[in-house]
Amino acid sequence: MSQYPVASATLYDGATSGAWPVTLQRNGDTLWLSGLAEPRSYALSEVCLEARLGSQPRRLTLPDGSVCESLDHAGIAAVFGQDDGVLHHLESRWRWVSYALLLLAGFAVAFYLWGLPLLSRGATLMTPPVVERVIGDKAFEHLTTLELDLKPTKLAAKRQAALRQRFAKLVPANSRYQYRLHFHAAPTIGANAFALPGGVVVLTDELAAIATDDEVIAVLAHEIGHVELRHGLRMIYQSAGMGVAVSAVLGDAPSAAAQVASFGALVLQLGYSRDLEREADRYAQDRLTALGLDRRKLGSALAKLMAQHKGEEHIRLPALLSSHPDTEERIKSLSR
Amino acid sequence: MDDHASALPAGAETALPHTDEVPATPPAPTEPPLLRWPLTFHGQGSEYFRIWIVNLALSIVTLGIYSAWAKVRRLKYFYGNTELAGARFDYTADPLRILKGRAIAFVFFAAYMALYALHPITAIIAGLLLWLALPWMIVRSLAFNLRYTRYRNVAFGFTGTAGGGYKHFLLLPLLLIPSLGMAFPYVHHQQRQFLLNNMRFGNQSFAMKPVIGPYFLIYLAAMGIAGGVMLMLIIMGAVIAAIGGGIVWATDWELPSWLIGVVAVGGIFLAYALFGMIYAIVMQTMRVALLNVTWSNTRVADCQIESKIALLGYIKLLCTRIPLLVITLGLATPWVVVTLTRYRLQHTALLAPNDLGGFEAAVASYGNVAGSEAGELFDLDLAL
C-alpha cells in the first residue's frame, strides 16, 4: 500500500485529551488510519477536512467524533488533493488583498460623505431635547467665563423689553425648547448673534445698534431655526461620529461614547455647515411670512453685518455671519 | 537510574531546578514533579492582516452577513495558532448560529430604537428590561463561546447559572453606590472569580484563589500612575506655552494669525492624543497586571497556571504600537494584535504533573447563541 500518498497527523478521540500519532493513507474512496492498536478505515465521503486557514494545522473530523490535527500540509494535499478553499485563496493573494483595501477606502469615503450626515440626523432624532439643553447651558457658561469677552448689555431697557416681547411671539407655540434670549455687549466679536443647542440665543449690542427692530427679529428667527432644526446637535454628532466610528473599528466604543458629552463648545468652533445655514435661512423666511412680516429683512440685516465686518479680522464665530465665502450669494437669495 | 528528565515529553521543561544529587529518599508520592508547558503563539502579522482585511471587505459587501463567518475565522486563527504541549486550540462554533443570534439582537435593537423615536417612556422601560436581561446574556454568551472552544478535541464549558450572573453583575455592582466607586476592585474580583470558578475543561473545574488585596493594589497603582503622568504633562505643557509666549512677547515678533491658529489647534490635538495614549496604556497594562494575578492563582485539576507577563516590556510595546495604530488609521491593527497576543502568550505556561493527556470530556452542555450575540452587539467585553 506504500505507493499511496500518506500524511502524518495526531488523533484526538474526543473522549479524553490523550494524543495519538497516526498516519493517514488513502486508497480510492477509503481513508486508512494506522498507528493505533488496530488500523481503522473510513469512507472518504464521511470525513470532513476543514478548509485552510493561514499556516495553521489542518483539521480532519471523523464520523466517530474524533479529530486529526496535522501540520503535514504537503501530505494532506497529496492525500486529499490540493483544495485550499476560496477564502484561503483570497487571503493568500496580495492582489485580492489590495482590492479589499481599495473597497475599504471607498467605503470610508462614502461613509464620510453620506453615511455620517445620515447617521447624525438619525441620532439627533433619537436624542431627547433635555440633553440639548444641558449641552447648550454648559457651552454658554463656558463662553461667558472663558472664551468670549461677553459684557453686560448697555441696551436701553425699553428696547430690550420690546425685542423680548417680539421674540416671544417668534418662538413657535409648540416648541420643545425653553428659549432664553441674552443681550450682551461684545467688543471682541462685534455685531453678531448666535444660538446654542437647547434654546440659548445671544444678541450683541453691536448688532442691535446697526439693525432696525425688524431686522433684529429676522436675525432672531434665523437663530430660532438653528435651535428648532437641532443643527447644533447634528454638528456635534457629525464631528464626534468620525471618532466614534474609528473607535468602534478599533474596539473601544464605550469610552468614545462618553466623550460625545464633552463636545458642547464644539458647535462654536466648527460653525454650521453651509447647508445648515441655508436651512435656517429658509426657516426664518417661512416664519416671518407666517407672522405677516417682511421676509426680506434677513437679507438686509446680513448686508449690514457684512459691511460692518468687512476687512476686519476677528474671532470667527459660527454665528449669523459665518466664515463661508458665499454670504453675498446668501444675501442675494434672501432679498428676493 | 530513573531520571524523569530523560523521559520528558517533547516540548516540556522541568519546573524544578535540576540537581545532580541523587536524593537519599524518594520524593513524597503526593507531590509529583511538575512539568512546565509554555504556550506558543504562531500567528503572523502579515498573514493575519490578509485574513482581517478580507473579513472586513466581505462583511461590508454582504451588509454584515459575513461578519458571523468573519468572527469564527478570526477566533479560529487566534486559537488555532496557540500551541500548548504540541496541540492547538480550536473554535468550532457554527457561523450560521452566530448569524441567527446576531439577527435576533439586531431586530431587538432596531425595535428599541424605533420605539424610542415613537414613545420614549415606553422605550426607557423596555431599556430597563433589557438591562435586567444583561446578566443572563453574559452567562449565556460565555457558555456559548466556551462550549465551542476546544483543546485536543475536548471542549471547555461554563456551568454558571443565570442566578449567579444576577448576583455578580446586577446586585454586587450596587455596592458601588454607597462606597462611591471605591468597591470597584472588589466587585471586579468577585465577578472574575465567579466566571473562572464556573469555567471547565472537560469534566474538570477551574478554581481561582481569592486575591482581593492585589486587585486593590493594582487599581490604586494604575490610578496613581495615570494621575501623576497626566499632572506632569499638564505642567510641561504650561511651561512650554509660557516659554513660547515669553519668547514671542520678548522679541515682539509679528506672527501671522494663521500660524497662531495652527499652533493652538495642533497643541490641543497633541494634548488629546497624548492623554488618549496614556489612558490606553494604563488601562492595557492594568488589564495585564490583573491577568497575571488572576491566572497565577488559578488551577484546573492538578495543573497550575503560570502568567508572568513582564509589565515593563508590555508598556514598551504599547508605547510604540499605539502611535502606529493612530498613524495608520487602524490599518496596523492586525500586526499590533498579533504582537501583543504573542507577548502575552509567551509569558504564560501550564505547570502540570503529566503530559496533559488525562482530561476527560464532559457530557454535552449547551449555551444559547442569541445571548452571546446580543452581548456582543451591546459591546460587552468580557475577555478574560
Side-chain angles (χ1 to χ4, degrees), chain B residues 56-90:
Chain B
L56 264 179
L58 287 179
S59 295
I60 287 171
V61 168
T62 59
L63 302 175
I65 291 172
Y66 185 76
S67 69
W69 279 262
K71 176 188 177 177
V72 171
R73 217 160 163 76
R74 172 171 53 90
L75 288 178
K76 252 189 182 312
Y77 186 81
F78 279 92
Y79 290 14
N81 278 310
T82 304
E83 184 188 332
L84 173 65
R88 307 294 182 100
F89 288 80
D90 193 14

Side-chain angles (χ1 to χ4, degrees), chain B residues 77-368:
Chain B
Y77 186 81
F78 279 92
Y79 290 14
N81 278 310
T82 304
E83 184 188 332
L84 173 65
R88 307 294 182 100
F89 288 80
D90 193 14
Y91 184 71
T92 57
D94 177 10
L96 264 178
R97 296 197 55 191
I98 293 177
L99 182 68
K100 214 161 74 183
R102 279 189 182 186
I104 292 169
F106 180 78
V107 166
F108 261 97
F109 190 68
Y112 174 75
M113 286 317 240
L115 191 64
Y116 195 97
L118 294 173
H119 204 285
I121 294 176
T122 322
I124 289 170
I125 295 169
L128 219 62
L129 288 175
L130 216 60
W131 183 66
L132 284 176
L134 270 185
W136 173 80
M137 285 200 279
I138 291 170
V139 168
R140 281 288 139 219
S141 82
L142 221 76
F144 178 81
N145 281 317
L146 281 172
R147 183 159 56 98
Y148 290 116
T149 301
R150 288 175 164 260
Y151 171 70
R152 296 187 175 209
N153 204 11
V154 173
F156 285 78
F158 187 71
T159 51
T161 58
Y166 278 100
K167 189 181 157 205
H168 288 90
F169 291 98
L170 207 66
L171 288 182
L172 206 58
L174 292 180
L175 270 182
L176 296 176
I177 301 169
S179 70
L180 300 174
M182 301 286 274
F184 191 80
Y186 173 75
V187 172
H188 189 193
H189 175 271
Q190 295 305 101
Q191 291 175 343
R192 191 52 57 90
Q193 205 178 20
F194 163 71
L195 297 181
L196 271 178
N197 283 349
N198 283 296
M199 197 167 127
R200 299 187 317 185
F201 177 61
N203 59 7
Q204 297 290 326
S205 258
F206 282 72
M208 173 188 165
K209 269 189 277 179
V211 276
I212 298 170
Y215 262 66
F216 270 97
L217 275 180
I218 290 169
Y219 269 96
L220 271 178
M223 275 167 62
I225 290 168
V229 173
M230 296 226 179
L231 195 70
M232 214 173 70
L233 269 183
I234 289 171
I235 293 171
M236 262 166 58
V239 168
I240 291 171
I243 292 173
I247 291 173
V248 171
W249 178 77
T251 53
D252 211 16
W253 278 342
E254 286 279 330
L255 289 179
S257 62
W258 64 264
L259 187 66
I260 296 176
V262 165
V263 170
V265 170
I268 290 171
F269 186 78
L270 199 72
Y272 251 105
L274 272 177
F275 276 83
M277 209 178 115
I278 290 166
Y279 174 78
I281 289 175
V282 171
M283 289 304 281
Q284 290 298 318
T285 311
M286 187 177 83
R287 212 186 115 220
V288 165
L290 289 172
L291 219 68
N292 274 345
V293 168
T294 309
W295 282 122
S296 297
N297 286 284
T298 301
R299 301 180 67 90
V300 51
D302 44 8
C303 305
Q304 171 67 47
I305 296 164
E306 177 193 284
S307 179
K308 290 183 175 166
I309 306 164
L311 294 187
L312 271 180
Y314 202 70
I315 290 172
K316 266 189 215 160
L317 271 185
L318 290 172
C319 282
T320 53
R321 295 314 192 277
I322 291 175
L324 189 69
L325 278 184
V326 176
I327 291 165
T328 60
L329 300 175
L331 278 182
T333 307
W335 278 277
V336 173
V337 174
V338 163
T339 309
L340 294 180
T341 307
R342 180 180 304 122
Y343 193 84
R344 286 199 303 267
L345 288 180
Q346 78 190 15
H347 289 90
T348 310
L350 199 66
L351 306 178
N354 50 39
D355 65 354
L356 309 180
F359 286 95
E360 282 171 32
V363 275
S365 57
Y366 66 93
N368 189 338

Side-chain angles (χ1 to χ4, degrees), chain A residues 132-313:
Chain A
E132 274 172 282
R133 185 173 175 154
V134 171
I135 293 176
D137 286 352
K138 282 271 169 256
F140 186 60
E141 270 171 40
H142 201 58
L143 283 183
T144 44
T145 54
L146 289 169
E147 303 236 323
L148 292 184
D149 194 16
L150 293 182
K151 296 203 157 58
T153 180
K154 291 187 186 103
L155 214 59
K158 211 174 147 196
R159 185 149 188 234
Q160 277 189 43
L163 284 175
R164 273 189 203 286
Q165 206 180 8
R166 292 189 65 181
F167 179 76
K169 275 190 208 138
L170 209 54
V171 172
N174 57 350
S175 175
R176 289 173 294 188
Y177 304 98
Q178 286 183 312
Y179 281 88
R180 283 142 292 158
L181 176 61
H182 296 275
F183 297 102
H184 278 289
T188 45
I189 58 168
N192 228 321
F194 56 89
L196 293 171
V200 173
V201 177
V202 178
L203 178 74
T204 68
D205 289 4
E206 289 79 359
L207 177 60
I210 60 165
T212 66
D213 276 13
D214 280 348
E215 283 166 349
V216 169
I217 288 305
V219 164
L220 292 178
H222 171 96
E223 299 306 332
I224 289 174
H226 277 316
V227 175
E228 288 296 315
L229 301 170
R230 315 182 83 174
H231 288 167
L233 212 56
R234 265 164 71 178
M235 290 308 292
I236 291 173
Y237 278 126
Q238 248 174 64
S239 54
M242 209 59 204
V244 173
V246 170
S247 310
V249 171
L250 300 180
D252 193 21
S255 74
Q259 274 189 354
V260 174
S262 68
F263 276 103
L266 207 65
V267 186
L268 293 158
Q269 282 145 30
L270 291 170
Y272 296 114
S273 75
R274 199 181 315 178
D275 291 344
L276 296 189
E277 289 298 347
R278 292 239 168 77
E279 261 183 47
D281 283 346
R282 264 199 304 280
Y283 180 92
Q285 289 197 314
D286 291 348
R287 190 76 193 133
L288 293 175
T289 312
L291 291 172
L293 300 167
D294 185 355
R295 55 183 284 155
R296 284 169 307 182
K297 290 293 180 203
L298 184 56
S300 63
L302 266 179
K304 280 186 182 173
L305 270 168
M306 224 174 77
Q308 183 80 11
H309 285 285
K310 205 150 217 171
E312 190 183 312
E313 224 178 299

Side-chain angles (χ1 to χ4, degrees), chain A residues 12 14-18 50 52 54-57 59 65-67 69 87 91 97 103-104 126 128 250 254 313, chain B residues 47 50-51 53 60-61 66 73 76-77 80 87-90 116 152-154 257 333 356-361 379:
Chain A
Y12 302 103
T16 71
S17 61
E50 221 172 67
R52 262 192 90 156
S55 52
Q56 62 175 272
R59 284 189 198 82
S66 46
V67 165
E69 233 175 65
L87 287 172
E91 289 159 358
V97 169
L103 184 91
L104 277 179
M126 301 284 173
L250 300 180
E313 224 178 299
Chain B
E47 191 178 72
R50 285 171 287 167
I51 291 165
I53 200 94
I60 287 171
V61 168
Y66 185 76
R73 217 160 163 76
K76 252 189 182 312
Y77 186 81
R88 307 294 182 100
F89 288 80
D90 193 14
Y116 195 97
R152 296 187 175 209
N153 204 11
V154 173
S257 62
T333 307
L356 309 180
F359 286 95
E360 282 171 32
D379 212 25

